[in-house]
């Protein structure tokens, strides 16, 4: 897919154990793939990725709010960055702003199968926005969720699945339709300013092949 930056906040981070996790991270480093939101230990998982490209200074930072515990990084174990009380993230967002970066914050948050954001999502996503994030996006959702402009920040509470195995029922079944609907976002930056976001709608096929929605599906 041509990825340059890999988000690693997922709750399945450690499903195959630490040896597999460290092998994966080493593979990313050898391939020159940047990653954030997870790492080889707690300090590595909390690092922001800073990118300077064509006059734009963009930073990515993320964390995992719900766990489970085994997926979280510790000082001696790889895993996803735990959100905790958000103190470390707020400190990093403020620092990034002072260095002239535009922070993008992504969450692995609580999972729901309907579009409305829940109170905990509203609280945490808006907290990141108040700290200075220019875009806040949820990566946990198995179905697309609502979005809003909150002050000067675009908040996307959940984009839905991208490549995933939730194709249990044929299209037309409510649950299957929801888990196969996807949002893909293209964020536009120019002259170190966030300009706009294009929302592309897709439908999941064959477990790992998003295709553009038809007009009727959209």
């Amino acid at each position: 897919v041509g990825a340059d930056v890999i988000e690693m906040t997922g709750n399945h981070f450690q499903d195959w154990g630490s040896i597999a996790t460290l092998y994966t991270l080493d593979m990313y480093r050898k391939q020159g793939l940047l990653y954030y939101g997870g790492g080889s230990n707690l300090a590595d998982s909390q690092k922001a990725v800073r990118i300077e490209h064509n006059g734009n200074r963009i930073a990515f930072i993320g964390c995992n709010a719900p766990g489970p515990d085994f997926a979280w990084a510790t000082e001696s174990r790889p895993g996803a960055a735990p959100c905790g009380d958000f103190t470390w993230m707020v400190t990093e967002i403020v620092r990034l702003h002072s260095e002239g970066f535009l922070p993008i914050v992504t969450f692995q948050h609580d999972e729901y199968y309907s579009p409305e954001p829940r109170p905990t999502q509203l609280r945490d996503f808006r907290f990141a926005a108040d700290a200075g994030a220019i875009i806040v996006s949820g990566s946990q959702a198995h179905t697309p969720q609502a979005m809003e402009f909150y002050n000067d920040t675009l908040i996307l509470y959940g984009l839905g699945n991208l490549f995933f195995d939730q194709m249990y029922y044929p299209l037309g079944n409510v649950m299957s339709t929801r888990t196969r609907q996807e949002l893909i976002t293209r964020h536009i930056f120019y002259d170190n300013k966030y300009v706009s976001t294009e929302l592309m709608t897709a439908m999941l096929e064959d477990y790992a092949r998003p295709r553009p929605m038809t007009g009727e599906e959209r």
Side-chain angles (χ1 to χ4, degrees):
V1 298
D4 298 299
V5 180
I6 309 298
E7 179 193 6
M8 306 202 74
T9 63
N11 58 332
H12 292 283
F13 195 109
Q14 279 274 79
D15 281 4
W16 291 88
S18 294
I19 293 176
T21 298
L22 293 172
Y23 174 83
T24 300
L25 295 173
D26 185 58
M27 180 175 63
Y28 287 164
R29 295 187 194 102
K30 290 178 179 177
Q31 294 296 322
L33 293 173
L34 305 175
Y35 63 85
Y36 74 97
S40 55
N41 53 46
L42 181 61
D44 190 38
S45 73
Q46 293 177 338
K47 291 179 180 177
V49 165
R50 295 167 171 83
I51 297 173
E52 299 189 43
H53 183 260
N54 288 345
N56 297 303
R57 309 186 81 193
I58 301 170
F60 295 89
I61 190 169
C63 66
N64 174 308
D69 289 356
F70 74 82
W72 284 330
T74 68
E75 292 182 359
S76 59
R77 185 185 69 197
C83 292
D85 62 3
F86 293 100
T87 301
W88 68 271
M89 178 178 279
V90 170
T91 300
E92 282 301 301
I93 292 172
V94 171
R95 179 183 294 122
L96 292 167
H97 259 300
S98 70
E99 296 173 359
F101 285 89
L102 302 175
I104 298 175
V105 174
T106 61
F107 280 107
Q108 171 77 22
H109 213 280
D110 297 317
E111 298 173 359
Y112 301 102
Y113 286 84
S114 56
E116 66 277 7
R118 298 332 197 260
T120 54
Q121 292 177 296
L122 292 169
R123 179 196 66 202
D124 294 347
F125 284 58
R126 290 175 177 177
F127 187 78
D130 286 333
I134 197 71
I135 296 169
V136 183
S137 187
S139 305
Q140 79 292 331
H142 291 299
T143 64
Q145 289 189 278
M147 61 197 74
E148 68 171 336
F149 289 106
Y150 175 76
N151 297 327
D152 293 327
T153 301
L154 172 65
I155 298 180
L156 303 139
Y157 286 99
L159 301 179
N161 291 320
L162 183 61
F163 314 120
F164 209 59
D165 62 357
Q166 290 183 321
M167 296 186 58
Y168 312 132
Y169 308 104
L171 285 175
N173 176 278
V174 172
M175 183 58 72
S176 182
T177 299
R178 286 178 177 175
T179 58
R180 292 176 65 179
Q181 293 171 332
E182 309 176 354
L183 290 174
I184 300 172
T185 54
R186 177 183 287 139
H187 303 299
I188 310 301
F189 296 86
Y190 181 77
D191 196 24
N192 208 36
K193 295 179 181 178
Y194 167 52
V195 176
S196 65
T197 291
E198 178 184 2
L199 289 173
M200 293 170 281
T201 54
M203 191 70 74
L204 180 64
E205 299 280 6
D206 299 333
Y207 301 92
R209 184 170 60 88
R211 61 160 173 80
M213 283 186 179
T214 66
E216 183 179 358
E217 289 169 338
R218 183 180 173 93

